[in-house]
């Protein structure tokens, strides 16, 4: 008869409580802090941010491929106070180690060792646009006439684009008003090639 509580067979809710008891004299400042080394590496699961080719075996690994990596903070290298991180990962074919870093200056990543980043045409176009913008800003700096000239050019390009858009809208509206049934009826009303041949022969005989 007597009831005995079995700790091993008790439910998970009874054994794993959500809240802990803290005594009234508890001081979190007295808890000893574990000091991590600055170059400590952390294991992370992530996806490749760009397509890359392994320099050892030539294997291509494409953007979005999942892999396990080690992450560390790059020592003595920051951009405007922003920390830069390095990621280590292995080639899926030959297991050679490759590394890439974060690039906060360009809001991107940069390949560091063991591989070559694939050519990205959109990236080249973005770099050209940025270079053109920077060149224009440098050209306009302190030159009011140049600023006015560039604004005039921009206005003209915008007007040309709007005119081309209006023309396209007009053409689309004209196409929309054409009834397909009328087009078919007109085609049916035209004489066939056999009829044209018979007319030509009749003219020759006459």
């Amino acid at each position: 008869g007597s009831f005995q509580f079995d700790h091993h067979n008790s439910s998970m809710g009874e054994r794993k409580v959500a809240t802990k008891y803290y005594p009234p004299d508890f001081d979190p400042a007295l808890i000893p802090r574990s000091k991590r080394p600055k170059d400590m590496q952390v294991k992370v699961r992530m996806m490749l941010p760009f397509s890359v080719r392994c320099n050892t075996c030539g294997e291509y690994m494409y953007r979005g491929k999942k892999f396990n990596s080690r992450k560390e903070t790059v020592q003595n290298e920051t951009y405007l106070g922003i920390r830069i991180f390095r990621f280590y990962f292995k080639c899926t074919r030959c297991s050679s180690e490759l590394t890439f870093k974060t690039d906060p200056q360009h809001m991107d990543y940069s390949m560091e060792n063991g591989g070559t980043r694939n050519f990205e045409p959109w990236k080249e176009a973005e770099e050209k646009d940025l270079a053109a913008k920077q060149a224009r800003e440098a050209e306009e700096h302190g030159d009011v006439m140049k600023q006015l000239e560039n604004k005039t050019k921009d206005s003209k390009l915008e007007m040309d684009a709007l005119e081309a858009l209006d023309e396209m809208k007009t053409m689309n509206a004209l196409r929309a008003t054409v009834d397909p049934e009328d087009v078919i009826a007109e085609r049916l009303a035209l004489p066939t090639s056999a009829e044209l041949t018979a007319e030509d022969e009749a003219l020759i005989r006459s």
Side-chain angles (χ1 to χ4, degrees), residues 3-196:
F3 174 78
Q4 288 185 347
F5 182 75
D6 187 0
H7 289 282
H8 296 289
N9 294 327
S10 61
S11 68
M12 292 292 286
E14 289 168 339
R15 288 192 296 114
K16 293 193 175 180
V17 292
T19 57
K20 307 286 184 186
Y21 171 72
Y22 295 101
D25 58 346
F26 174 74
D27 186 3
L30 298 175
I31 300 172
R33 292 181 177 274
S34 58
K35 289 192 175 180
R36 293 182 179 181
K38 289 185 178 179
D39 57 348
M40 181 181 176
Q41 294 184 349
V42 183
K43 288 182 179 179
V44 291
R45 178 91 174 156
M46 67 177 298
M47 300 167 86
L48 262 179
F50 49 77
S51 297
V52 62
R53 182 175 181 265
C54 175
N55 289 345
T56 307
C57 67
E59 177 74 2
Y60 283 96
M61 288 163 282
Y62 296 97
R63 180 179 178 175
K65 186 171 183 63
K66 291 181 182 176
F67 60 92
N68 295 319
S69 69
R70 302 191 321 276
K71 183 186 85 169
E72 70 177 15
T73 305
V74 179
Q75 299 302 311
N76 305 319
E77 191 179 345
T78 58
Y79 174 73
L80 302 177
I82 302 168
R83 288 185 297 172
I84 293 171
F85 298 103
R86 178 183 287 115
F87 295 89
Y88 297 84
F89 68 103
K90 290 190 175 182
C91 172
T92 53
R93 186 176 175 188
C94 68
S95 296
S96 60
E97 194 166 70
L98 296 88
T99 63
F100 64 87
K101 296 191 298 185
T102 54
D103 184 6
Q105 184 178 358
H106 301 101
M107 296 178 289
D108 199 7
Y109 294 84
S110 60
M111 195 67 209
E112 191 177 29
N113 289 311
T116 308
R117 186 169 177 168
N118 286 8
F119 174 70
E120 296 166 342
W122 61 88
K123 195 172 187 301
E124 188 182 32
E126 285 173 5
E127 286 172 357
K128 280 183 179 177
D129 290 344
L130 182 63
K133 187 180 177 183
Q134 288 173 346
R136 174 171 169 165
E137 285 174 358
E139 187 182 47
E140 289 181 353
H141 185 66
D143 191 342
V144 180
M145 288 301 293
K146 197 69 186 174
Q147 290 177 17
L148 186 63
E149 186 183 331
N150 286 338
K151 280 181 182 175
T152 308
K153 282 181 183 176
D154 290 345
S155 298
K156 188 178 181 304
L157 286 170
E158 194 176 344
M159 289 296 291
D160 291 345
L162 286 170
E163 283 178 15
L165 186 63
D166 286 339
E167 191 176 338
M168 286 172 68
K169 282 181 179 176
T170 307
M171 292 294 290
N172 287 337
L174 284 170
R175 288 197 189 101
T177 55
V178 175
D179 189 356
E181 296 292 336
D182 294 341
V183 176
I184 293 166
E186 284 181 17
R187 292 288 296 171
L188 291 172
L190 291 171
T192 62
S193 55
E195 289 172 347
L196 288 170

